[in-house]
């Protein structure tokens, strides 16, 4: 058998296993909550806050503009079913906690065209940035070593990464993590 075919088969099996572990389906088309927490490196928030990314219209946005806020950073893609499923809830939570200094930012590991199309069909109340090819490196530096999606990182107002979650994050679990973060702030 050709070495290239073996390598492709191995990669395909690894990707399928990752999807099975992270996006465990219930058989009815819905997505079960994944309780995959990840270790957060001290550099996670530093790298994220140092990033400068375009929005879907090509306007450059510095993540540092949200320094001093409690930041919920969600790595996602338009082709990712659990990402699309959790974003309306993220939008509701953004609205609910906006006055408390919470800012959500979606970082798409996707193309600007896909992000625009998604935003037309599913408007959200927070900025969507486009990381494209650079997104994998940023996701890794934020603690997502597998670069699986969705991946959510919560950074407190002091700039410290508090929580990281790999996989679908249910609205009530997100609110609980967010409340814990807000309670720990000075």
């Amino acid at each position: 058998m050709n070495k290239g075919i073996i390598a492709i088969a191995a990669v395909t099996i690894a990707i399928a296993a990752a999807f099975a572990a992270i996006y465990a389906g219930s058989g009815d088309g819905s997505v079960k909550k994944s309780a995959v927490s990840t270790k957060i490196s001290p550099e996670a928030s530093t790298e994220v806050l140092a990033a400068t990314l375009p929005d879907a219209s090509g306007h450059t946005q510095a993540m540092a503009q949200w320094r001093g806020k409690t930041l919920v950073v969600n790595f996602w893609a338009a082709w990712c079913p659990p990402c699309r499923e959790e974003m309306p809830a993220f939008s509701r939570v953004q609205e609910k906690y906006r006055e408390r200094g919470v800012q959500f930012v979606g970082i798409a590991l996707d193309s600007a065209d896909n992000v625009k199309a998604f935003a037309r069909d599913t408007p959200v109340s927070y900025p969507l940035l486009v990381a494209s090819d650079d997104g994998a490196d940023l996701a890794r530096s934020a603690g997502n070593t597998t670069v699986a999606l969705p991946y959510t990182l919560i950074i407190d107002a002091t700039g410290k990464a508090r929580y990281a979650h790999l996989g679908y994050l249910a609205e009530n679990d997100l609110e609980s993590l967010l409340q814990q973060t807000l309670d720990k702030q000075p």
Side-chain angles (χ1 to χ4, degrees):
M1 194 180 262
N2 182 324
K3 287 183 181 180
I5 293 173
I6 293 171
I8 290 171
V11 168
T12 302
I13 290 168
I15 290 171
F19 279 119
I22 295 168
Y23 311 125
S26 65
D28 64 0
S30 66
V31 178
K32 287 184 179 176
K33 183 186 94 178
S34 174
V36 181
S37 61
T38 61
K39 184 175 180 173
I40 307 170
S41 74
E43 298 83 31
S45 58
T46 304
E47 295 289 329
V48 169
L49 289 169
T52 300
L53 301 165
D55 59 24
S57 299
H59 300 104
T60 303
Q61 301 289 329
M63 292 294 293
Q65 71 183 295
W66 296 296
R67 192 177 298 278
K69 292 185 175 281
T70 298
L71 195 57
V72 180
V73 181
N74 179 247
F75 289 87
W76 71 286
W79 49 261
C80 166
C83 301
R84 292 192 318 265
E85 187 175 322
E86 70 185 0
M87 290 176 78
F90 282 19
S91 192
R92 287 189 299 273
V93 175
Q94 165 65 71
E95 289 305 307
K96 184 175 180 179
Y97 287 87
R98 179 182 308 275
E99 295 301 317
R100 294 190 61 194
V102 173
Q103 178 63 57
F104 281 62
V105 178
I107 298 180
L109 306 187
D110 209 331
S111 71
D113 288 340
N114 287 346
V115 172
K116 283 181 193 176
F118 173 84
R120 261 192 316 270
D121 296 338
T122 311
V124 295
S125 62
Y126 54 90
L128 299 176
L129 306 182
V130 182
S132 300
D133 297 333
D134 298 331
D137 290 336
L138 182 58
R140 273 190 208 92
S141 69
N144 185 356
T145 58
T146 62
V147 192
L149 299 173
Y151 178 73
T152 305
L153 180 68
I154 299 178
I155 302 170
D156 72 16
T158 69
K160 181 178 180 182
R162 292 287 181 173
Y163 300 100
H165 184 87
L166 181 60
Y168 176 82
L169 185 55
E171 186 170 357
N172 60 336
D173 294 332
L174 171 61
E175 283 199 69
S176 176
L177 292 173
L178 197 50
Q179 192 59 52
Q180 290 172 44
T181 301
L182 292 169
D183 289 347
K184 290 179 182 177
Q185 293 180 157

